Amino acid sequence: MGCCGAKDQGKAAASPGVGAAAEGEDSDSDCGWYTPYSSDDDKISPSAVELRKIWSILQAEQHGAAEWPEFSDLWDHMKQADYSELLGSPADMDTATCPLKWFCPNGAAALVRLDRLEGHPYTGLFQGAEHALIRLSSGLKPAAEIPAPARWALFGKLKKAHLFPMVALKGLRDHAHSGNLLLGGSKTGQAETDFFAHSVCTNMTERLPLPLRPALGPLRKESKFPLSLGVSHFAAICQDGTHEPRARFPWCVLFRPCPGVERPPARRDFVEQLVEIPAGTPLYEVFACPSPKDLLDARALERIGLIRTVSQFIPCRSNSRLVFKHQRKEEDFELERGWEQQLGEEHAMAGWELFEGQIAQGLYRDFG
């Protein structure tokens, strides 16, 4: 399980949406993707209305400061954290006042759409999500921003890490809770300042430096698969609120930065790069590994979708109330009974790097 946006305390409201926009927030501000509100809101789908409310709140929050927890405090927190609320609540916005997000505190958010590639077998929001938003963040404070005297305590790749890329996608649904996908890059960080240097994946390897291994303890209390996130809820309900009679979903999902797309140059502060990305930019190609037994077969990998921005990015700082539900991998295995028996040691070592290498071979099945 990842920890995109985990906060120190407070509960999120367990309702399908956020309710009315906060007082003083401009519900008519231009989102650049459909006509502003009129008195005829019933002509707009409930999922579009709900997304508009969330976006208005994010716009009001975007001027918060870029605060990062200190590594020493974060380390103490990781060893005793409680992730049950993050896994249990389906809310989109946190209604409590929380002082700080421990993980992924700073990033940027944009309205996006997930377009399916015709013919793939997966259901629910994998068939398309027009009313969606994405948050790109760094899981931890970049090492370059840590004062030199304190940097000595870091080790290995952590010393050179500029980013710890994390991606969260939220698709709104009519009269139902949103569907969320959580994906991560390198746990020990990447040296590149370009947020789009590498892919991100719903499965992260359990290969960790010895000093970091105790941090998995609280996660293992919640799941046997602490660094693998479920995707079945994303496939369970369509955007129009229709419940699938049988959810079809892949074992693992990968977002690859769209090749050949001109993006703003990388910056020391990755948020400055993200906010310059214009609306209409192809952001990620969506790939799927159908089942655990397909892990090492590059021909089994599938290209199933495309994520495109429909607004510009805005800063989404540590004061943001936006939250993403994390799903235990066990919930996927309850629906696909044979999958857990297919797991071997290699599956705990599978993540973005393995799948990125498979894509480079050009053998994947393309539904495009």
Side-chain angles (χ1 to χ4, degrees), residues 96-172:
T97 301
C98 299
L100 181 67
K101 287 183 178 178
W102 286 101
F103 300 100
C104 308
N106 292 292
L111 298 171
V112 297
R113 58 181 297 150
L114 167 60
D115 294 323
R116 66 168 180 165
L117 299 180
E118 294 290 340
H120 75 71
Y122 308 116
T123 59
L125 292 176
F126 286 110
Q127 287 294 312
E130 295 179 344
H131 307 144
L133 64 85
I134 199 167
R135 185 176 190 262
L136 312 184
S137 62
S138 181
L140 302 175
K141 184 177 185 178
E145 297 187 20
I146 300 174
R151 213 176 301 163
W152 68 269
L154 302 180
F155 49 86
K157 288 176 63 179
L158 283 171
K159 284 188 175 181
K160 299 180 180 180
H162 284 280
L163 278 173
F164 301 83
M166 297 287 175
V167 175
L169 176 69
K170 181 184 295 292
L172 277 293

Side-chain angles (χ1 to χ4, degrees), residues 49 70 183 192:
V49 171
E70 296 300 327
L183 307 92
E192 298 92 341

Side-chain angles (χ1 to χ4, degrees), residues 20-22 24-31 34-38 41 49 52-53 55-57 59:
E25 290 164 356
D26 182 10
S27 62
D28 288 331
S29 55
D30 181 25
C31 291
Y34 63 81
T35 54
Y37 279 157
S38 68
D41 281 354
V49 171
R52 189 62 175 258
K53 293 173 183 176
W55 187 245
S56 294
I57 294 172
Q59 287 177 312

